[in-house]
Amino acid sequence: MTMDRPGMLRIMSSDRPELRGGMMKRFTTVDASKEVAVIVDPYSTGCLVAKEIQSRGYKVIALWTKGFSEEMKKHIPLSCAGISYFAEVTEGEDHGETIRELYKAAGTYKIVSCIAGGEAGVDAADVLSERLMVRTNGAGGVFANRRDKKVQQELIRDAGLRSVRQAAGKKFSDVEEFLRKESYPVVLKPTDSAGSDGVKLCHDFDEAKTHFEYLLTVEAVNGGFNTEVLCQEFLRGKEYVVDSVSRDGEHKCMQVWVYDKRPANGAAFVYFGMLPIDSSSQDAKLLINYCNSVLNALQIKNGPSHAEIILTASGPCLVEMNCRAHGGDGNWRPLARALTGGYSQVEGTVDAYLDKKAFQMLPRIPPSPAKAFGQEVILVSYAAGEVAATPGYDVIRNLESFVFLETGVSVGSKVEHTVDLLTCLGSVILVHEDESVVLKDIATIRALESNDQLFDFKLTATPLRASMSTLDFSHLTVSDNADI
């Protein structure tokens, strides 16, 4: 749930090595000493996948796609600090040139996989893995655009699954009729956006038109410019995440999460956290079955996936299927490992591509009950101003269940009232074997927020309490399908 962006302050617990280093040492069941894996655009969680592959004895080549920003190349999680690669290759003018450069970089090593290291690398990984004749989802026909959010909805609709009402276009006239007829609010996003990049909930026609035109002029977070904008119905219901790994069309759920969204600072849907869901619950069963059907409809047969789904009154409905691992720098990995007793989507991804026996040993769903308790806590600010000191960080890092803190706020930063993901302060991962400890620590964090004790501000800071809002959100018991 954390934002995928460089330049963040990251603090990891120094006295819980069992979470920092992993709970289960995994070794490949094949000889990897003369083999190399290609990771396309390894950033965020992609770095964790690369490091896991290296830990099993493989060499790793980093392939950077054209237009991928130099800043994003530096987006390396704290747990992967100092990571290096057997070779680094830049995408060529065509696929043939790229493949020749990869073979040249591999030398005497055999290329055994080509994996997307992040959203920006999905399309290239699909094409190149097919041409390299390694495990692939393929890129033929309509599936060449499976990352396109409009195409995703069309494919699952054709498969008879609940899908979103939508319209997309490269110019406003393509979507004008839809925006005039659809009930508001509506969601606008680039068709190939990453995370919450460019996503906005628009409340009337004029706002939608302004944002449509804005998206065609602004640079995307991963580099390049948007060429098409997607307009979708607003889905009412709780928002969930289903993280899976697949091999030869066999899907295994690694974790089911639900977003904690509440009114704050005059905004209806502010992220307060991401919580794991018991895999034996009715909601989890419904979501996992639906997600597997979506994966089949999109012909995602191999590798990791990160599905965002709204559980509406009429059943689950896909927001988007991300054909790569859960992002957020993989900060959730220690939590996921604790919940399962030793594995996460990172290990499952490597198993899916490189170790058939290990993949077969993975459970089809996470264990129930979970082996530990925890969640990701999103930090919310009820005040705005320039930060003079960060006393709350010391309190958080000394919590009994503390594992990890990520934030973009430090001394000198200007903090705004939190109304969306862009204005959140950061996130904290909490894990403990005792649920009461986790709940106590969550309460401590929430008290720091509500009492404005996370930061010392310069005297110009302006507090704003949720209770001060004159807006009535009591009738809203739903969350939206936009990462806003």
Side-chain angles (χ1 to χ4, degrees), residues 213-228:
E213 294 169 347
Y214 166 78
L215 287 176
L216 294 180
T217 61
V218 67
E219 185 175 4
V221 67
N222 286 332
F225 288 86
N226 304 309
T227 59
E228 188 175 37

Side-chain angles (χ1 to χ4, degrees), residues 28-35 58:
T28 183
T29 58
V30 297
D31 180 13
S33 62
K34 297 182 179 180
E35 298 178 331
Y58 295 89

Side-chain angles (χ1 to χ4, degrees), residues 202-216:
C202 299
H203 297 82
D204 56 45
F205 179 85
D206 290 339
E207 185 178 8
K209 182 178 181 181
T210 299
H211 191 59
F212 183 100
E213 294 169 347
Y214 166 78
L215 287 176
L216 294 180

Side-chain angles (χ1 to χ4, degrees), residues 106-125:
T108 59
Y109 288 83
K110 178 183 178 182
I111 297 177
V112 292
S113 67
C114 182
I115 305 170
E119 188 68 26
V122 170
D123 292 340

